[in-house]
């Protein structure tokens, strides 16, 4: 049975594994659960709207017009930082392609040697020396890579993130290498905004009370008080969070490392990434280079669909149609290995086209977006001996990895 | 016409891929190991390959340098609430473009004539430098997907 290869161009974000949602044709990247993010937006926009509507007119006239102006600027800065944190790629590490995964597996096999039958293979750890400190790099079974130092796998987004700090539901995204400074500036500016609004709320109430008495003031401005309450409670949590992250930045630590106690000083382990100088640490985290995304969400790739000709014979004109619409776009050429492996690589495609067409027809799921990275087959058709990929169950590190994922 | 895709595979086919790993001895800065893999032993001179990796490391160090220029860029960007990144290219992106040009030049001049191909690390998440080794036209009967020998240099 012969097959016809239909090719269409898709953006790479449509084929990315992981549990992220994308908007604006790949420009925006967030986690799946966005409910708490909408709440954050509502609280910030709601509180500020009430402040501008009820307090600013009085304060602008009786005190200074600079007060609302500064509040507006601060509000825009907070929103810009929030949206930047929520919508940007936190530093996701793309998963290993099959060849890289196989290469790593073979290295692991070579290192471990022959494991006697019945015994568990040793945990998949690579030791690296960083600034005189031994750091263990763990193997990620989902992404099939040894995680770089400070990277961690987020189970909510199902991605390995570089310099993983934490997954923040309030911003609806992970906080990692690329968006940590925006997150910090968001909490800092939000603290300032909350303190600012709360202070001028009190000033406003005091000024009115001096003029017309406290009880009359309460009656005149009923709308402010619920949101003053919100401000009061938000203040403590946001200011506390900003203080905590300031502490982490001064020590060049991530929330993840702090929770796990990686550099707590037990067994004389020290933080190898710290410059031992608060100013240098702050400068590196806040004024370091702006790292680009390695995901290339908006890049184009070819999505090869193999349609058996028996299906096409149902619509005789379809062949001609396909040729006219796709033939011009994609002149027939040697198929190169796609960058995201939802297809067979050239090596695997060596068996006949018919076999691959059948395999494709069987494997193809109805919604391409849900397609996950196919695992390497246990027995490869090529002469290369591919060792069966170990799963977490067969590995002693499994419990620690499960704990990692939970965190 | 669509059935004859196989006949278009007249160019040399892929024999194997070698991956140069990251060197973390100096922390999380982007740096690749300058270790010559044994699979490339017969295909390219050691010095040529090591020079390529060293030059790439220099480029990455330049991109990630925390100094005067990165402070200026950071402060200016912060003052504009990072809107300036919508119209301006960051220093890192400029260096990545230079690296891309360098890799293309190296492929054209040095690697392609030897049946090798370097892949830009940014396409592999900055984790590895992928070196594709194509079948040597001179040799005959070599298996297209040869075993990666146990001569893989250990870290």
């Amino acid at each position: 049975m012969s097959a016809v290869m239909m090719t269409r161009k898709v953006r790479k974000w449509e084929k990315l594994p992981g549990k992220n949602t994308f908007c604006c044709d790949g420009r925006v990247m967030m986690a799946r659960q966005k409910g708490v993010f909408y709440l954050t937006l509502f609280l910030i926009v709601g509180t500020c709207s009430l402040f501008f509507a009820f307090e600013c007119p009085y304060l602008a006239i009786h005190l200074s017009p600079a007060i609302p102006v500064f509040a507006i600027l601060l509000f825009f800065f907070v929103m810009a930082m929030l949206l930047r944190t929520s919508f940007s790629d936190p530093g996701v590490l793309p998963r290993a392609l099959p060849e890289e995964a196989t290469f790593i597996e073979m290295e692991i096999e070579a290192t471990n040697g022959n494991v006697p039958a019945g015994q568990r293979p040793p945990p998949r750890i690579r030791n690296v020396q960083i600034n005189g400190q031994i750091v263990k790099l763990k193997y990620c079974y989902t992404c099939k890579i040894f995680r770089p130092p400070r990277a961690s796998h987020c189970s909510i987004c199902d991605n390995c993130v570089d310099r993983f700090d934490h997954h923040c539901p309030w911003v609806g995204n992970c906080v990692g290498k690329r968006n940590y400074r925006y997150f910090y500036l968001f909490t800092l500016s939000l603290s300032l905004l909350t303190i600012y609004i709360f202070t001028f709320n009190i000033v406003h109430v005091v000024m009115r009370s001096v003029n017309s008495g406290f009880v009359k003031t309460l009656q005149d401005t009923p709308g402010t008080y619920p949101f003053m309450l919100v401000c009061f409670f938000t203040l403590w949590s946001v200011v506390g969070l900003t203080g905590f992250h300031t502490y982490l930045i001064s020590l060049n630590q991530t929330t993840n490392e702090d929770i796990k106690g990686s550099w707590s000083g037990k067994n004389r382990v020290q933080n190898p990434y710290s410059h031992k100088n608060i100013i240098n640490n702050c400068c590196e985290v806040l004024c370091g280079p702006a790292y680009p995304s390695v995901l290339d969400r908006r890049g184009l790739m070819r999505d090869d669909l193999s349609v058996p000709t028996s299906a096409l014979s149902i619509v005789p004109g379809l062949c001609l149609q396909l040729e006219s619409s796709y033939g011009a776009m994609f002149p027939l050429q040697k198929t190169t290995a796609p960058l995201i492996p939802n297809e067979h690589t050239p090596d695997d495609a060596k068996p006949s086209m018919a076999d691959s067409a059948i395999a494709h027809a069987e494997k193809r799921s109805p919604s391409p977006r849900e397609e996950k990275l196919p695992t390497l087959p246990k027995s490869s058709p090529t002469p290369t001996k591919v060792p069966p990929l170990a799963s977490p169950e067969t590995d002693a590190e499994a419990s620690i990895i499960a704990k990692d994922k939970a965190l | 016409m669509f059935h004859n895709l196989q006949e278009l595979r007249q160019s040399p086919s892929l024999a194997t891929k070698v991956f140069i790993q990251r060197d973390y001895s100096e922390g999380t800065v982007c740096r690749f190991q300058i270790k010559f893999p044994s699979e490339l032993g017969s295909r390219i001179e050691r010095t040529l390959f090591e020079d390529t990796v060293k030059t790439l490391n220099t480029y990455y160090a330049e991109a990630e340098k925390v100094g005067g220029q990165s402070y200026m860029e950071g402060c200016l960007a912060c003052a504009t609430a990072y809107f300036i990144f919508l119209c301006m290219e960051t220093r890192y992106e400029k260096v990545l473009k230079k690296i891309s040009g360098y890799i293309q030049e190296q492929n054209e001049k040095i690697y392609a004539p030897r049946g090798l191909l370097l892949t830009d690390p940014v396409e592999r998440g900055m984790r590895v430098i992928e070196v594709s080794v194509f079948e040597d036209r001179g040799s005959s009967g070599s298996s297209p997907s040869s075993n990666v020998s146990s001569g893989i240099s250990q870290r």
Side-chain angles (χ1 to χ4, degrees):
Chain A
M1 184 172 74
S2 54
V4 173
M5 290 292 278
M6 283 168 50
T7 319
R8 62 184 183 116
K9 270 190 178 165
V10 292
R11 298 255 185 214
K12 288 182 191 168
W13 66 263
E14 296 180 59
K15 297 290 177 188
L16 277 177
K19 294 182 191 161
N20 290 101
T21 49
F22 297 90
C23 308
C24 302
D25 201 19
R27 290 182 182 87
V28 165
M29 178 174 175
M30 290 183 77
R32 267 191 200 163
Q33 300 94 337
K34 297 186 272 289
V36 189
F37 168 68
Y38 294 136
L39 176 67
T40 311
L41 275 177
F42 171 72
L43 285 174
I44 297 174
V45 172
T47 322
C48 293
S49 311
L50 286 174
F51 179 71
F52 293 131
F54 293 108
E55 332 246 305
C56 282
Y58 185 89
L59 291 166
I61 297 166
H62 290 88
L63 264 185
S64 161
I67 293 170
V69 169
F70 187 73
I72 288 172
L73 289 175
L74 200 49
F75 169 72
F76 278 127
F77 190 79
V78 169
M79 290 307 293
M81 290 301 103
L82 171 64
L83 296 178
R84 237 192 200 258
T85 312
S86 303
F87 293 167
S88 57
D89 170 10
V92 171
L93 295 167
R95 297 185 185 188
L97 297 178
E99 296 102 353
E100 194 186 334
T102 319
F103 185 85
I104 295 174
E105 283 282 331
M106 286 185 168
E107 272 198 337
I108 294 169
E109 287 278 309
T111 323
N112 290 344
N114 280 327
V115 179
Q119 259 191 32
R120 270 190 168 176
R124 294 180 165 203
I125 296 222
R126 221 177 235 178
N127 285 325
V128 186
Q129 194 170 55
I130 300 178
N131 293 330
Q133 181 85 39
I134 300 285
V135 174
K136 292 184 192 300
L137 302 187
K138 291 192 189 138
Y139 183 76
C140 181
Y141 286 92
T142 315
C143 304
K144 309 236 184 309
I145 56 169
F146 275 99
R147 281 183 216 129
R150 313 192 93 174
S152 192
H153 192 94
C154 174
S155 49
I156 301 171
C157 301
D158 204 22
N159 290 316
C160 269
V161 178
D162 208 353
R163 203 187 183 276
F164 181 71
D165 195 85
H166 66 286
H167 181 97
C168 185
W170 298 97
V171 302
N173 203 358
C174 285
V175 179
K177 182 167 84 168
R178 290 192 72 240
N179 64 355
Y180 184 64
R181 80 190 66 186
Y182 310 132
F183 175 76
Y184 178 72
L185 288 172
F186 165 64
T187 55
L188 184 65
S189 54
L190 186 61
S191 307
L192 292 173
L193 183 65
T194 318
I195 292 171
Y196 191 86
I197 289 181
F198 192 70
T199 311
F200 281 104
N201 257 327
I202 294 177
V203 165
H204 172 240
V205 169
V206 165
M207 281 179 72
R208 272 195 191 249
S209 304
V210 162
N211 288 337
S212 20
F214 187 61
V215 180
K216 192 166 185 304
T217 309
L218 286 177
Q219 288 167 343
D220 283 340
T221 56
T224 8
Y225 304 104
F227 278 89
M228 260 184 82
L229 213 61
V230 170
C231 262
F232 182 73
F233 288 111
T234 315
L235 201 105
W236 295 110
S237 40
V238 176
V239 169
L241 189 67
T242 311
F244 174 63
H245 280 282
T246 311
Y247 161 76
L248 286 180
I249 287 173
S250 64
L251 293 179
N252 202 334
Q253 268 193 34
T254 64
T255 308
N256 197 35
E257 286 164 356
D258 187 69
I259 288 175
K260 286 187 192 168
S262 311
W263 318 121
S264 59
K266 241 184 349 181
N267 305 325
R268 270 184 248 145
V269 291
Q270 302 264 311
N271 186 354
Y273 314 108
S274 170
H275 299 279
K276 313 281 185 238
N277 178 331
I278 290 178
I279 298 189
N280 283 356
N281 284 338
C282 292
C283 286
E284 190 201 296
V285 177
L286 298 174
C287 304
Y291 297 96
S293 172
V294 293
L295 277 187
D296 190 22
R297 304 186 294 276
R298 289 178 47 76
L300 292 165
M301 61 176 287
R302 284 193 303 181
D303 186 17
D304 294 325
L305 296 171
S306 191
V307 181
T309 44
S310 54
L312 287 175
S313 64
I314 297 164
V315 184
L318 191 59
C319 271
L320 277 165
Q321 263 188 339
L322 289 170
E323 214 181 293
S324 60
S325 49
Y326 292 104
M329 266 208 301
F330 308 105
L332 292 174
Q333 55 187 313
K334 172 175 177 279
T335 49
T336 52
L339 288 176
I340 313 268
N342 50 6
E343 317 302 327
H344 294 305
T345 61
D347 283 337
D348 293 339
K350 277 191 169 58
S352 72
M353 286 291 292
D355 289 341
S356 71
I358 293 164
H360 269 289
E362 282 169 354
K363 244 176 42 171
R364 182 66 48 182
S365 64
S367 103
R369 252 174 239 209
E370 299 299 312
E371 206 160 86
K372 301 280 175 208
L373 194 72
T375 52
L376 278 179
K378 295 272 181 217
S379 55
S380 167
T382 64
T384 316
K385 266 205 213 129
V386 177
L389 290 179
S391 61
E393 292 77 48
T394 60
D395 194 296
E397 267 284 296
S399 58
I400 301 172
I401 287 164
K403 240 195 273 176
D404 257 355
K405 284 191 177 173
L407 278 175
Chain B
M1 198 151 83
F2 284 94
H3 313 311
N4 297 328
L5 274 174
Q6 270 183 316
E7 288 166 32
L8 296 172
R9 294 177 177 281
Q10 282 146 21
S11 22
S13 51
L14 196 63
T16 185
K17 288 190 183 182
V18 185
F19 297 91
I20 311 300
Q21 306 284 341
R22 282 270 294 269
D23 173 13
Y24 294 116
S25 56
E26 287 172 25
T28 49
V29 288
C30 186
R31 215 188 121 79
F32 290 96
Q33 290 178 3
I34 308 175
K35 260 196 178 152
F36 189 63
S38 51
E39 290 83 359
L40 302 181
S42 52
R43 305 294 286 262
I44 189 168
E45 294 81 8
R46 183 190 204 103
T47 45
L48 275 177
F49 184 75
E50 286 182 357
D51 278 343
T52 310
V53 181
K54 280 181 190 160
T55 315
L56 284 176
N57 285 341
T58 319
Y59 275 122
Y60 286 118
E62 179 200 328
E64 298 198 8
K65 203 171 76 143
V66 181
Q69 206 183 346
S70 77
Y71 295 159
M72 287 287 292
E73 191 184 58
C75 291
L76 177 68
C78 186
T80 61
Y82 295 95
F83 278 103
I84 201 165
F85 284 156
L86 294 171
C87 26
M88 187 185 91
E89 223 178 29
T90 64
R91 194 164 65 117
Y92 210 116
E93 283 166 353
K94 287 184 192 147
V95 176
L96 283 183
K97 277 203 174 140
K98 275 202 279 184
I99 288 172
S100 171
Y102 172 74
I103 287 180
Q104 199 170 348
E105 180 213 324
Q106 290 281 291
N107 274 334
E108 280 166 15
K109 286 192 192 154
I110 299 177
Y111 292 88
R114 291 167 169 81
L116 302 169
L117 192 72
L118 290 181
T119 306
D120 195 334
V122 83
E123 291 175 28
R124 297 289 178 265
M126 310 274 270
R127 278 195 314 272
V128 286
I129 303 176
E130 185 183 292
V131 186
S132 308
V133 183
F134 291 93
E135 271 178 22
D136 205 350
R137 282 186 196 266
S139 67
S140 57
S142 59
S143 162
S145 8
S146 53
N147 277 331
V148 178
S149 68
S150 56
I152 295 167
S153 30
Q154 296 297 320
R155 284 189 64 258

